[in-house]
Amino acid sequence: RENETALRLLVTHGKADLSQTTTAGIDSLHITIERESRTIFDLLLSLGAKIIWPSPHPAPSPITPYFTVPEVYQPPCHIFVAARCHNTFAMEYFSKHQDCTQECEVDMWLVRGIERGWDYPTSKVVEVWRKALELRESYKLDYPGKGAIDLYQGVQEVKTLNDIYNISPKQYLIQCVLISERIFGPLYCTSCDLKIKLVNRLYKENSGQ
């Protein structure tokens, strides 16, 4: 309660700038979402914190892998950070916001399916990805996945419900990379961490380790 009062006073008297960001574009709302502070989250929004919504990332060519595509870093939008952190109250708020598109809502659930461990698809992953694909179908949205990338063994992003059933751990990891790179962009930390883990896994397989 003291933190809430102090923040309100600082903003009201011009001593705190809600638009201030780190060099990576992370603002106070990003941090609050990651820390899952509902009170401060509501307060920041009531004080006029600006919500970052999705913007398109350059599409890679079939020859150039995602992680080598030159790109200007873009700060992650808040709804996808909420999904990555499994912050349910922030996901609910953003998904019901008037500026949240149907495509954005679907992608939110796809990001929610990227588990923190990134090792295997749990029943929760199947559940939320099924929700995403069912929403996409009900909204009659176009499939947003890019063409198959050789680096990822020709795998494309999940398109139908059949794609998510009986998915292997390696296929799940590839799906996480594809989803993260399309939604967050190749330079985002989650995308980079996933790619490193995938490349290491494929290297071990190819070297027989």
Side-chain angles (χ1 to χ4, degrees), residues 131-178:
K131 181 179 180 69
L133 297 181
E134 288 176 345
L135 279 174
R136 180 186 291 162
E137 182 178 354
S138 67
Y139 292 152
K140 295 180 171 54
L141 301 176
D142 293 332
Y143 171 67
K146 307 296 190 298
I149 305 297
D150 289 341
L151 176 69
Y152 305 142
Q153 301 184 338
V155 177
Q156 291 181 285
E157 189 178 320
V158 289
K159 182 184 296 187
T160 67
L161 293 177
N162 287 334
D163 294 336
I164 63 175
Y165 296 129
N166 301 316
I167 189 172
S168 70
K170 182 176 71 174
Q171 291 171 331
Y172 170 64
L173 182 54
I174 293 175
Q175 288 298 329
C176 289
V177 172
L178 292 172

Side-chain angles (χ1 to χ4, degrees), residues 83-102:
R84 178 180 60 79
C85 297
H86 303 179
N87 185 326
T88 54
F89 66 77
M91 288 173 62
E92 181 179 7
Y93 174 85
F94 291 129
S95 64
K96 293 180 178 179
H97 195 281
Q98 62 180 6
D99 292 332
C100 179
T101 64
Q102 294 175 337

